[in-house]
Amino acid sequence: MSPHDQTNAASRTFYPLIEDTRQLGSILDLIRWAASRMDELGVFLGHGTTQYWDEAAWLVLDGLHLPLDLDATYWNAKITPSEMARLVELIRRRCLDHVPTAYLLNRAWFMGQPYYVDERVLIPRSPFAELIADRFAPWIAPETPTEQILDVGTGSGCLAVALAQSFPEAHVTACDISLDALSVASRNVDDYQMADRITLHQSDLLSGLREEDGLGPLRFDLIISNPPYVDPDEAQDLPAEYHHEPALGLYAENHGLALVERLLDTAADHLTEAGQLFVEVGNGRRLIDETWPEHRLTWLELQNEDASLFTIARCDLPRWRGR
């Protein structure tokens, strides 16, 4: 069945059920109805939740401008007809158009904090949260000065804000090749009143990060990056939700390794002597191990076993391939 036929079939399933909403009255009623429709229509999860009930509760509660931890005693509160119509339209777009909930609400959550997002940036879901919460221990010792930090490919800016909060003694530089993404990042930096702690740059990876006199590269004690790492040939196999995200933030040539390789080839010039580089590569560990079997990268053990993230010290970068 073609995607067009699948959408038409889903529409035939969904639209008659809209009549059911006339029988719904409370917040709890609508969350239950939305969860059932998402399950019935096979909505893909993975941009913030892993269960249909959680996805439906997020959409309905946030759509009503209510806290996600709303006390259960309020779940029987009545929804007005105008609110019901607006929420049913959001549910329709989630189920039939496969728009991720974060884009429908223009809000995503990272490390327990809300951020503005739209289709100009990827939806935050990085395992870097684990490392930031622990201030990158044991890779960065507590007594090690960390005064300059770089976030490469910042997107929404959520990692940059989290870094600035976790390292209050540091200045954070955040760069992205996309001016659209930087516009979103700027909004989030301002929302968290971090303009004096975070500097935004347009840069193709590290290439645009130079001293003001242009004579030398900016250097950092810590560089992190969540670069595009999806093979373009895999695009058609991804769930429809991913096609709402910017391709510039997802795909990279050479089976997804092109930008990772560029980072590794150029990072030494931008790290201080004791500096450390951390890079997220999705599920790319096996491919990297096969492509560069003698590499000097250290793979990190994460709670999210589906994610791969490596680190490498500046001293190992000149011969990171291990030869």
Side-chain angles (χ1 to χ4, degrees), residues 47 122 125 226-239 242-243 245-260 279-285 287-288 306:
H47 288 89
L122 298 183
R125 50 184 180 274
N226 177 13
Y229 50 69
V230 179
D231 185 342
D233 291 340
E234 298 178 8
Q236 296 306 311
D237 297 327
L238 293 176
Y242 286 96
H243 298 298
E245 295 192 287
L248 191 62
L250 283 174
Y251 305 110
E253 298 298 325
N254 190 24
H255 306 291
L257 296 183
L259 300 183
V260 174
V279 181
E280 179 188 342
V281 292
N283 60 356
R285 177 172 180 171
L287 180 58
I288 286 177
D306 294 330

Side-chain angles (χ1 to χ4, degrees), residues 158-181:
C158 65
L159 288 174
V161 171
L163 285 164
Q165 293 173 331
S166 187
F167 292 87
E169 73 281 10
H171 186 85
V172 177
T173 299
C175 68
D176 204 291
I177 192 173
S178 167
L179 285 174
D180 283 340

Side-chain angles (χ1 to χ4, degrees), residues 26-285:
S26 70
I27 294 172
L28 183 60
D29 286 342
L30 188 57
I31 291 174
R32 199 282 310 156
W33 186 85
S36 296
R37 301 293 76 75
M38 291 175 185
D39 189 6
E40 184 178 31
L41 296 169
V43 165
F44 173 79
L45 303 177
H47 288 89
T49 66
T50 57
Q51 299 181 31
Y52 290 120
W53 179 266
D54 293 340
E55 184 86 4
W58 175 21
L59 194 157
V60 171
L61 290 174
D62 211 337
L64 289 170
H65 308 288
L66 295 172
L68 300 185
D69 60 352
L70 182 71
D71 189 280
T73 58
Y74 295 100
W75 283 42
N76 287 320
K78 299 299 182 183
I79 300 175
T80 68
S82 62
E83 289 174 331
M84 182 69 74
R86 182 170 58 82
L87 288 167
V88 168
E89 173 59 14
L90 291 177
I91 296 166
R92 183 200 68 78
R93 294 183 64 198
R94 184 68 187 93
C95 291
L96 299 187
D97 300 337
H98 298 281
V99 181
T101 297
Y103 290 150
L104 292 173
L105 301 172
N106 293 124
R107 192 195 311 272
W109 294 81
F110 183 71
M111 296 185 68
Q113 297 187 142
Y115 291 89
Y116 175 87
V117 296
D118 58 34
E119 295 189 18
R120 294 175 291 176
V121 296
L122 298 183
I123 297 168
R125 50 184 180 274
S126 175
F128 267 117
E130 295 180 35
L131 299 180
I132 295 172
D134 292 334
R135 286 176 55 101
F136 291 80
W139 309 103
I140 297 179
E143 65 274 11
T144 301
T146 306
E147 299 176 351
Q148 295 292 333
I149 300 175
L150 172 64
D151 173 23
V152 181
T154 193
S156 66
C158 65
L159 288 174
V161 171
L163 285 164
Q165 293 173 331
S166 187
F167 292 87
E169 73 281 10
H171 186 85
V172 177
T173 299
C175 68
D176 204 291
I177 192 173
S178 167
L179 285 174
D180 283 340
L182 289 171
S183 178
V184 174
S186 178
R187 175 170 178 164
N188 285 316
V189 168
D190 288 343
D191 284 348
Y192 281 93
Q193 300 180 339
M194 287 283 186
D196 61 334
R197 301 273 323 282
I198 299 173
T199 301
L200 300 175
H201 283 279
Q202 184 185 25
S203 179
D204 181 2
L205 296 183
L206 303 171
S207 63
L209 300 174
R210 312 287 297 179
E211 296 282 0
E212 288 186 8
D213 58 14
L215 297 179
L218 291 173
R219 293 184 181 274
F220 304 90
D221 304 303
L222 167 63
I223 298 177
I224 75 163
S225 183
N226 177 13
Y229 50 69
V230 179
D231 185 342
D233 291 340
E234 298 178 8
Q236 296 306 311
D237 297 327
L238 293 176
E241 280 77 358
Y242 286 96
H243 298 298
H244 290 276
E245 295 192 287
L248 191 62
L250 283 174
Y251 305 110
E253 298 298 325
N254 190 24
H255 306 291
L257 296 183
L259 300 183
V260 174
E261 184 174 17
R262 279 181 55 198
L263 271 173
L264 289 165
D265 285 343
T266 58
D269 291 338
H270 291 271
L271 284 166
T272 56
E273 288 299 319
Q276 196 90 7
L277 171 69
F278 293 80
V279 181
E280 179 188 342
V281 292
N283 60 356
R285 177 172 180 171

